Amino acid sequence: MKFGAYTACLHDRSLPETLEILKGMGLTSVEVNSGGFIPAPHCPVDTLLGSESARRDYLQVFADAGMELTALNCNGNPLSPLPNEGLKHAEDLRRTIELAGALGIEHVITMSGLPGTDPTAKYATWVVNPWNGIDMEILDYQWSVAVPFWTEIDELARRHGVRVAIELHPRNLVFNATTFQRLIAETGATNVGVEMDTSHLMWQQMDVPTVIRTLGDRIFFAAAKDVKLFEGVKTKGVLDVDFGHVPADAENKTPVAYGYWCTSWPENPAWRFVAVGIGHDQDYWVEVLTALREVNPDTVINIEHEDAEMSTLDGLGFAAKTLLAAASKVD
């Protein structure tokens, strides 16, 4: 197995400085953003697509640092009915697949996306619990949008020698084992699999090792990210909706589409992202890594840091120590 980090949390630093930081933590793998929800300062997509020499120079930056570029990340909503979100993110994904092939990078990380309720919808709609028959009609429409798109993406990935790993992320059509299995069944995709981001399974109360073993060789990649439950879960459950508006003039907003950004977390949350090892102890991570090794001994696991209570360097360092210590205990 290989261990590294997704560099989005270090976008305020240059790529060489970022690589030096990660190497100093004992990590060897790097994942950079290439489009979708957030900017891509560590991956100049246009330049790299247009120049073979630029691609050689770019890869040499990683080689000189003794690090390996293992994935391009293009998380977004390519199925959104908002043109400035859906059309842009879909094109970002296509260009990322093309670039990954040109760079010789095997994996592209993304999300399945989420359409609206019907062809006239303006906004994406996530059907959380389809107990109402109306919801089944919405889901039928959403799958009718998703299947042709992902059939196209699978063919594109095959053509460029790339494997696309979908993060099982809430507010997406594919967010657990059964929805992923449906996507594969209806598309016949060969080059579409799962990025096993542990965190979103955790807060939904799934058993991560069981999901890993259920999906088997469809686990293409992994993200190490932790979650901790808090007192708020006792009255709100895991579907916490007490998020807040963020004003347009707020500093350090996290974009999700043109004119839209992440909301603010509840003051008394049901759950929150934490550094790897804080929500689940080292023994738990031994179980996760053991399951990942069973399905693929060469799995790449990249840390994704989103703990708002820890600095970036402290959170990454804590996570790296937890993972590397857990890895040492995997038979």
Side-chain angles (χ1 to χ4, degrees):
M1 294 188 286
K2 298 175 184 177
F3 297 92
Y6 175 36
T7 69
C9 62
L10 293 168
H11 276 179
D12 60 331
R13 301 168 189 264
S14 69
L15 180 57
E17 184 181 2
T18 294
L19 299 181
E20 183 179 354
I21 289 169
L22 299 183
K23 185 176 182 179
M25 294 176 179
L27 304 173
T28 60
S29 166
V30 185
E31 176 183 337
V32 299
N33 203 70
S34 58
F37 288 134
I38 63 175
H42 292 162
C43 185
V45 176
D46 291 340
T47 300
L48 295 174
L49 280 173
S51 168
E52 182 178 352
S53 63
R55 292 193 293 273
R56 284 198 305 268
D57 292 344
Y58 184 66
L59 291 174
Q60 192 62 45
V61 173
F62 295 89
D64 289 345
M67 303 291 283
E68 180 183 359
L69 178 60
T70 52
L72 303 181
N73 188 306
C74 192
N75 272 329
N77 185 358
L79 303 181
S80 172
L82 282 168
N84 285 340
E85 183 178 44
L87 294 178
K88 177 188 181 299
H89 292 181
E91 186 58 21
D92 283 352
L93 178 57
R94 295 184 186 99
R95 285 161 52 82
T96 294
I97 291 170
E98 180 184 353
L99 177 57
L103 287 169
I105 306 303
E106 185 179 9
H107 290 107
V108 167
I109 313 302
T110 191
M111 296 174 183
S112 66
L114 184 68
T117 56
D118 59 78
T120 67
K122 182 179 179 182
Y123 300 110
T125 300
W126 186 33
V127 177
V128 179
N129 185 3
W131 64 270
N132 190 315
I134 296 171
D135 298 327
M136 297 305 295
E137 293 185 9
I138 293 171
L139 285 170
D140 287 345
Y141 167 73
Q142 291 181 326
W143 280 101
S144 77
V145 173
V147 169
F149 176 81
W150 281 102
T151 300
E152 173 212 335
I153 292 299
D154 179 60
E155 192 280 329
L156 182 66
R158 234 180 359 260
R159 191 179 345 134
H160 288 283
V162 172
R163 302 203 301 175
V164 178
I166 293 175
E167 182 178 345
L168 302 180
H169 197 297
R171 201 181 177 271
N172 278 265
L173 194 58
V174 175
F175 64 96
N176 60 14
T178 54
T179 49
F180 173 75
Q181 289 166 332
R182 176 175 179 177
L183 181 70
I184 298 306
E186 296 198 20
T187 61
T190 60
N191 284 44
V192 175
V194 165
E195 187 225 22
M196 179 47 57
D197 183 322
T198 52
S199 64
H200 301 292
L201 278 59
M202 288 170 173
W203 73 257
Q204 293 180 86
Q205 298 295 280
M206 298 183 211
D207 185 281
V208 175
T210 297
V211 174
I212 292 170
R213 293 184 173 103
T214 296
L215 296 178
D217 62 6
R218 282 289 180 164
I219 306 288
F220 287 176
F221 213 84
K225 191 173 166 190
D226 209 346
V227 159
K228 185 175 181 179
L229 299 183
F230 293 92
E231 286 293 308
V233 77
K234 294 180 179 178
T235 55
K236 297 190 284 188
V238 297
L239 297 178
D240 190 346
V241 297
D242 293 339
F243 290 72
H245 289 285
V246 172
D249 59 356
E251 295 183 358
N252 300 318
K253 301 186 299 294
T254 301
V256 292
Y258 288 117
Y260 296 90
W261 42 87
C262 284
T263 53
S264 61
W265 278 88
E267 292 184 7
N268 180 31
W271 61 273
R272 182 172 60 78
F273 296 123
V274 294
V276 173
I278 290 180
H280 294 77
D281 63 19
Q282 187 183 115
D283 289 342
Y284 179 88
W285 289 98
V286 171
E287 293 182 29
V288 171
L289 296 181
T290 297
L292 286 171
R293 184 172 179 177
E294 285 177 13
V295 300
N296 180 6
D298 298 321
T299 300
V300 179
I301 303 102
N302 285 339
I303 298 164
E304 185 173 356
H305 171 74
E306 289 190 14
D307 189 334
E309 299 299 314
M310 296 185 75
S311 72
T312 298
L313 296 187
D314 287 345
L316 281 172
F318 191 91
K321 288 179 181 178
T322 300
L323 277 182
L324 295 175
S328 70
K329 296 182 178 181
V330 176
D331 294 330

